[in-house]
Amino acid sequence: MSTTAPPAPLLPSNAVDSTGPITAADGTPLQTALSRATRKARIRAFLLVAPLLAFVVLTFVAPIGQMLWRSVSNDSFSANMPALTAWFAENEALGSDGGPEGDGIPGEDAFEALATDLKGARENRTAGIVGTRVNYDLSGTRSLFTKSARQARKLEAPFKAALLDVDEDWGDAELWSVMRSASRTYTGDFYLAALDMQRNVDGEIEAVPENRRIYVPLFVRTLWLSALIAGLCLLLAFPVAHLLARLPLRYSNILMIFVLLPFWTSLLVRTTSWMVMLQSQGVVNDLMVAVGIVGDDGRIQMMYNQAGTIIAMTHILLPFMILPLYSVMKTIPHDYVRAARSLGATPSTAFWRIYFPQTVPGIGAGVLLVFILAVGYYITPALVGGSSGQLISNLIAFHMQKSLNWSLAAALAALLLAGVMLLYWLYDRLIGIDNMKFG
Amino acid sequence: MSANAAEVSGSANEPMVRFKNVQKSYDGETLVVKDLNVDIARGEFLTMLGPSGSGKTTSLMMLAGFEPATHGEIILNGRPINDVPPHKRGIGMVFQNYALFPHMTVAENLAFPLQVRKMSKSDAAAKVKRALEMVELPEFGDRRPAQLSGGQQQRVAVARALVFEPDLVLMDEPLGALDKQLREQMQYEIKHIHESLGVTVVYVTHDQSEALTMSDRIAVFNDGVIQQLSSPDTLYEKPDNSFVAQFIGENNRLQGVINEVRGDACVVKLDSGDEVLAEQVVPGGTGTRTTLSIRPERIELDPAPGACPVTIDGKIEELIYLGDHIRVRMNVAGTNEFIVKVRNHTGRKPLAAGQQASVGWDPIDCRALDALT
C-alpha cells in the first residue's frame, strides 16, 4: 500500500516562519484569520446586548451626563444679555477700585450695553430668567432686573444716570462683580457655591460667612449619618444573618420572609408607620408613659429630628446588610469554628480569629451598599427628618424643585457622586472589590 | 471480643476514653446512639465503621464535645468530660473537609493551636516546622490552603491536629474526598504517624478496607448500636452476626434451619434440602433459622474427594477474569449469587460457564449467624 506522493516536509512551508508573522494555512496572517472567524460570534453577542446598551445610554448615561454638564455650564445670562456679556468679555477684570471713578462701577458704555439688553429682555420676556440667575449669587436682585426691564423703553442716554435713576442698586459694585461671573457660560462657580465658597468683588475665592454655610455641614452630616446607619445596620444584621445561615431550612425560610417582608412593603408605608410609632403622641411614647418610664410631659422627641432619620433609615436599609452577610455566612462551613474549638480556642477567639475574618467580604459588601444607599437617601429624611435630620439629597431636591437652581443641584450631586466614588476607590485599595460578595 | 467484653477488659487497665451507657437523640423521638459502651485503650487506633446514619459520627462529635450526650457518661483520662467545653478537652481533630482556615497560611494554621495556648513565637515556629516536616511539606508554610492539592491539605490538617501534641486525635472520614490511590497512600501515612507518635486515634469511616488497613480494633456500628468490636482479622474471619459478615468484605449467604447441635458446631438443613456442617454462632437449638456465611476465598472449587468435610454440587453460571483471581458465579443450593474466588495459579483447571462443579469448604469457615429477614 505505497503511494508515490512526495515526502511531506516536517512543517508546512507557510506554518512557522522565523521572520514573518504566523500565517494560517491559506497564507492570511493568523490574527486576521482568527478575527474573521470570531467576527460573526462577536456581532451576534453585540446585537444581543445592544437593546440594553441603548436603554442604558438613553436613560442613564445621557441624563446624568447632561446633568453634570449643567453643573459647569449655565447660559441663562449670556444667552439673554448678549451686549453686556460682550462688554464683560472685552473689558477684563474690574476690581473694587476699577471703573472711571475707581468705585468698581463701570462707565457709560457698560450701562449702554445693559440698557440695550434690558430692552431686548423686555421684548423676549427673559428678564426673569436673567434676574433668577443673578439672584443665585446675590439675593434680592431678581426684582431689580424685572423692574428695570419694565421701564427699559423709557431709558435714554446717558444710560448710567438713567439706570441709577430707575434703581440705585445698579451702582452696587458687588452686583457688577456677580454679573461678570454670571456672564460666563462655563463656570465653576456652582461648585464653589456647593462648597460654601464665593467670589468676592475682586474675583477672589473666599469662604462664605459662617452663618451662611449650608452645604459643607450638610455633606459632613450626610456622610456621618450614613456611616452611623451602616454601622447600626451591621450590628443588627450580623446576628440575624448568622441565625439565618445556621438555622435548619424550615426555620430559616420563615425568618427570611420576615427579613424580606419590608421589601414587599411600600417605602412610604414603612416610613409612615415609623411616624406612627415614634411621634410624641405615638405608640412608643404612649407605652413609655403608660409604663411610667417617662412622664406625660417628658415625652421623648424621636421623630422630625436626626433620631427619626437614623431609626427609620436603619430599619429600611437593614435587608441590604442582612442579605450579603447571609450569602457569605452560608458558605462558611460550621467545621471551621469546630476546628478552632477543638484546637483549643475559646468561643470568642474562635469567633474573632476564625469566623469573623471570613465574613469580611460580606461585611464590606453590606456596609458599602448601605452606605451608598444612605448617602443618596431622600424620601425618609424628608418625611421624618425634620430640619436636623435632612440629608444632602433633600437639598438637591430643593434646588431641583423649588429654587430651580439646577446647576447648583447638579454640582451638589456631582460632588456627592465624586465622594462616593472616592470611598469606593478607598475600599478597593483597602479590602479589594474582588473580595466583595453580594450573593 | 464483643462490645460487652471490651467493657470488662477496660477495668484492668485504665482506658483513655470510656463511653458509659451513652445515648443520643436529636429530636427526642428516636435514638441515634443507643446505649454505647466502649473503652479505648491508650495508644490504640480504634475505627468506628458503619453505614451513614449509624451513629458513628455522632459518637465522635460527642467525644469531641460538639454534641452533648443525651444520657450517659463520657470519661477521658478518668475524668467525666460531659460538661467540659471542646476547647478544654485537648483533643486533636481532623475534619472530613479538612477545615483549614482559608484566610491563614499553612504555617498560621499550624501555629493557631499553639497561639491560643500562649506559646512563645519561637517555640511555636519550631513546632510548626517539625510538624510540616513530619507530613513532608516543609516548603509549604507560606502557602494558603486553597493553593494546595487535596492530599496536601489533608496532610496539613493531620499536622494541625497533632502539632499541639494531644494524647487523643479524632478523625472524621478524613480521606473521603481523596481519590483511591491517594487515599491508600494516606492510610499508610496516618498509620505510620500513629505508630511513631503513640497517640490514641479514634477514626470514623464508612470504608471497610480503610478500617481493615489501619485499625487495631474496629467498632462496627449499625442503627446506633455497636454490632461488633474486635480486631480486623477477627472481624473478617469470625463475624458475630449477619450484618457484620455482610458489611465487611464479600460473603456468600445460604438460608437454612439448624437441624442438630454438636457442641460448637451444628448441622444446618438448607432451604434447598442439602445438609451442611457449620460453626454455630447464633444462639438457639434445633429449629432455629439461620444464615450461613462463607467467604468466597475459603471455598474450594471441585475439591479432591475427601479434601473438604463439606461439599455441595453446583453449576458455574459466569466467569469474571480479574487477573490475580477469577470470580466464579455459581448456582449452589438454590441461589444464583454464590461466588467462589479461584486463585489464578499455573495448572489451574479450565473452567467454563454452564459446567457442573462441586464446591467444598471447612466447617470452621462456615458460620451459622442470625437469620436475615
Side-chain angles (χ1 to χ4, degrees):
Chain A
M1 208 170 62
S2 70
T3 54
T4 52
L10 274 175
L11 287 169
S13 55
N14 58 354
V16 177
D17 189 328
S18 56
T19 53
I22 303 173
T23 57
D26 61 355
T28 54
L30 198 56
Q31 286 288 350
T32 320
L34 182 67
S35 67
R36 195 180 298 152
T38 55
R39 185 182 302 146
K40 210 176 202 172
R42 275 183 289 138
I43 289 173
R44 198 180 305 148
F46 177 78
L47 285 177
L48 279 172
V49 181
L52 177 65
L53 186 68
F55 178 79
V56 167
V57 167
L58 275 177
T59 62
F60 190 75
V61 176
I64 287 187
Q66 201 203 359
M67 197 68 204
L68 291 176
W69 177 244
R70 214 180 262 277
S71 72
V72 293
S73 154
N74 189 315
D75 61 355
S76 48
F77 190 96
S78 57
N80 300 313
M81 303 285 276
L84 191 57
T85 303
W87 184 87
F88 277 129
E90 280 159 27
N91 298 271
E92 274 311 311
L94 186 78
S96 54
D97 53 350
E101 276 120 63
D103 56 359
I105 313 299
E108 175 65 18
D109 46 350
F111 278 91
E112 187 180 344
L114 174 62
T116 317
D117 284 341
L118 282 174
K119 281 175 193 160
R122 173 170 167 73
E123 279 158 32
N124 300 326
R125 300 173 183 279
T126 53
I129 297 173
V130 177
T132 305
R133 170 67 189 92
V134 177
N135 199 54
Y136 292 159
D137 299 330
L138 190 64
S139 51
T141 46
R142 190 175 184 273
S143 59
L144 174 68
F145 279 87
T146 49
K147 186 172 92 179
S148 307
R150 271 200 302 276
Q151 303 175 26
R153 257 193 310 178
K154 289 183 272 175
L155 290 176
E156 279 169 19
F159 290 105
K160 184 168 181 177
L163 273 164
L164 284 174
D165 195 38
V166 172
D167 196 316
E168 59 189 11
D169 279 352
W170 288 116
D172 180 4
E174 197 184 355
L175 172 68
W176 283 93
S177 153
V178 164
M179 282 200 294
R180 175 181 289 281
S181 52
S183 72
R184 295 187 196 102
T185 305
Y186 305 107
T187 173
D189 284 3
F190 294 105
Y191 283 96
L192 287 182
L195 290 168
D196 282 337
M197 285 190 275
Q198 62 184 14
R199 283 181 201 280
N200 62 12
V201 181
D202 297 322
E204 286 160 357
I205 293 166
E206 61 173 23
V208 302
E210 198 110 20
N211 57 356
R212 275 174 51 206
R213 285 178 200 163
I214 317 167
Y215 304 112
V216 169
L218 206 55
F219 271 120
V220 171
R221 184 203 282 169
T222 301
L223 295 180
W224 151 241
L225 283 187
S226 300
L228 182 68
I229 287 162
L232 287 174
C233 278
L234 177 61
L235 280 182
L236 294 173
F238 200 93
V240 177
H242 179 76
L243 209 58
L244 268 173
R246 281 286 163 270
L247 277 180
L249 204 61
R250 58 197 164 123
Y251 298 115
S252 69
N253 277 343
I254 295 171
L255 191 60
M256 189 55 117
I257 287 173
F258 281 111
V259 169
L260 292 177
L261 204 60
F263 267 144
W264 306 330
T265 320
S266 151
L267 179 62
L268 272 172
V269 172
R270 275 182 283 161
T271 307
T272 323
S273 34
W274 273 113
M275 291 157 85
V276 173
M277 291 286 288
L278 295 182
Q279 60 193 333
S280 49
Q281 300 298 322
V283 179
V284 174
N285 265 316
D286 283 352
L287 211 67
M288 285 199 291
V289 171
V291 175
I293 299 174
V294 295
D296 200 19
D297 47 355
R299 287 172 179 263
I300 298 169
Q301 189 66 37
M302 289 178 288
M303 191 57 25
Y304 310 119
N305 57 16
Q306 244 174 51
T309 301
I310 293 169
I311 294 171
M313 278 179 68
T314 301
H315 169 244
I316 286 162
L317 294 175
L318 200 54
F320 294 99
M321 184 68 83
I322 293 177
L323 293 177
L325 273 179
Y326 163 73
S327 78
V328 167
M329 285 177 177
K330 207 165 171 54
T331 63
I332 303 174
H334 198 46
D335 276 352
Y336 287 132
V337 169
R338 285 187 162 178
R341 296 292 306 281
S342 80
L343 293 170
T346 59
S348 75
T349 309
F351 173 81
W352 285 111
R353 295 226 18 223
I354 304 304
Y355 191 70
F356 183 79
Q358 296 187 61
T359 62
V360 164
I363 292 174
V367 167
L368 205 65
L369 195 63
V370 168
F371 183 84
I372 288 175
L373 284 171
V375 156
Y377 232 63
Y378 162 63
I379 292 185
T380 305
L383 289 176
V384 303
S387 63
S388 68
Q390 297 293 301
L391 301 182
I392 195 74
S393 309
N394 301 107
L395 219 65
I396 294 175
F398 168 79
H399 284 304
M400 291 294 291
Q401 297 163 350
K402 298 273 165 55
S403 81
L404 300 184
N405 189 351
W406 286 13
S407 292
L408 181 57
L412 288 169
L415 284 175
L416 193 62
L417 182 64
V420 168
M421 279 164 80
L422 180 76
L423 287 169
Y424 190 77
W425 176 78
L426 270 178
Y427 178 90
D428 188 30
R429 292 298 301 269
L430 294 177
I431 300 179
I433 292 301
D434 302 343
N435 284 329
M436 186 155 58
K437 277 188 193 157
F438 284 110
Chain B
M1 213 192 313
S2 72
N4 290 334
E7 193 188 359
V8 175
S9 73
S11 58
N13 195 351
E14 177 74 3
M16 175 109 202
V17 177
R18 165 172 283 181
F19 285 91
K20 233 166 104 183
N21 305 109
V22 172
Q23 292 182 313
K24 174 70 186 178
S25 172
Y26 286 105
D27 53 6
E29 286 165 16
T30 50
L31 282 170
V32 182
V33 174
K34 304 168 183 163
D35 197 32
L36 178 67
N37 289 290
V38 189
D39 283 6
I40 301 167
R42 198 167 293 278
E44 187 176 21
F45 195 122
L46 183 124
T47 298
M48 295 176 171
L49 175 68
S52 52
S54 60
K56 56 190 194 309
T57 298
T58 304
S59 302
L60 195 76
M61 289 300 164
M62 287 193 285
L63 180 53
F66 300 130
E67 293 290 350
T70 312
H71 173 82
E73 226 173 21
I74 301 171
I75 295 165
L76 177 65
N77 286 325
R79 202 161 60 100
I81 53 167
N82 290 43
D83 297 324
V84 177
H87 64 278
K88 289 190 179 149
R89 295 192 181 190
I91 300 174
M93 184 148 181
V94 181
F95 291 83
Q96 192 167 10
N97 53 11
Y98 319 137
L100 296 176
F101 308 137
H103 57 295
M104 296 182 180
T105 64
V106 167
E108 285 166 349
N109 262 284
L110 292 187
F112 183 81
L114 307 175
Q115 281 172 3
V116 297
R117 286 176 171 75
K118 312 259 189 287
M119 185 180 283
S120 78
K121 270 219 165 72
S122 53
D123 288 359
K127 283 202 179 217
V128 166
K129 188 161 172 285
R130 224 176 310 141
L132 281 174
E133 278 163 4
M134 178 183 74
V135 294
E136 287 158 21
L137 295 170
E139 309 296 321
F140 288 74
D142 293 331
R143 301 232 192 144
R144 300 258 168 184
Q147 295 168 304
L148 303 183
S149 70
Q152 289 166 337
Q153 291 186 31
Q154 163 43 237
R155 286 168 203 225
V156 174
V158 170
R160 190 179 65 176
L162 291 166
V163 74
F164 61 102
E165 293 169 6
D167 301 334
L168 176 61
V169 176
L170 312 182
M171 301 192 182
D172 182 13
E173 306 211 19
L175 307 180
L178 303 180
D179 61 57
K180 188 170 178 290
Q181 210 172 356
L182 201 53
R183 194 157 64 219
E184 281 167 7
Q185 188 194 341
M186 285 304 298
Q187 286 170 11
Y188 295 119
E189 287 191 23
I190 290 176
K191 184 74 188 148
H192 291 155
I193 288 171
H194 164 250
E195 278 161 6
S196 62
L197 296 182
V199 293
T200 312
V201 177
V202 180
Y203 192 101
V204 162
T205 183
H206 62 261
D207 180 337
Q208 43 120 344
S209 73
E210 202 168 292
L212 293 175
T213 311
M214 302 170 80
S215 319
D216 295 331
R217 283 195 301 160
I218 300 170
V220 180
F221 277 71
N222 189 39
D223 202 19
V225 175
I226 293 187
Q227 303 289 331
Q228 188 170 357
L229 175 64
S230 45
S231 61
D233 53 340
T234 312
L235 205 61
Y236 186 81
E237 285 164 29
K238 296 189 163 36
D240 280 350
N241 56 43
S242 308
F243 176 82
V244 175
Q246 182 201 350
F247 194 75
I248 310 273
E250 206 175 4
N251 146 63
N252 288 308
R253 283 173 298 173
L254 299 169
Q255 314 291 338
V257 178
I258 295 180
N259 229 356
E260 187 190 341
V261 180
R262 298 182 190 163
D264 283 346
C266 61
V267 177
V268 173
K269 187 176 178 7
L270 299 179
D271 293 352
S272 60
D274 300 280
E275 283 200 355
V276 294
L277 199 60
E279 188 92 346
Q280 189 178 358
V281 181
V282 65
T286 309
T288 310
R289 272 204 76 78
T290 180
T291 299
L292 293 183
S293 159
I294 318 136
R295 299 290 181 195
E297 71 276 11
R298 296 294 171 96
I299 298 166
E300 196 84 36
L301 191 65
D302 273 339
C308 288
V310 179
T311 47
I312 309 181
D313 288 333
K315 188 181 144 209
I316 297 175
E317 297 279 345
E318 192 182 6
L319 296 169
I320 300 162
Y321 184 79
L322 287 166
D324 59 337
H325 72 271
I326 293 137
R327 268 169 75 89
V328 184
R329 187 166 67 80
M330 299 187 69
N331 186 332
V332 170
T335 169
N336 253 336
E337 299 294 329
F338 196 89
I339 305 291
V340 178
K341 281 186 187 171
V342 179
R343 203 160 60 83
N344 189 5
H345 57 86
T346 44
R348 179 170 60 79
K349 272 184 274 180
L351 299 169
Q355 187 184 328
Q356 295 290 331
S358 65
V359 288
W361 60 79
D362 192 315
I364 292 173
D365 294 328
C366 175
R367 292 170 71 79
L369 307 172
D370 52 314
L372 282 176
T373 45

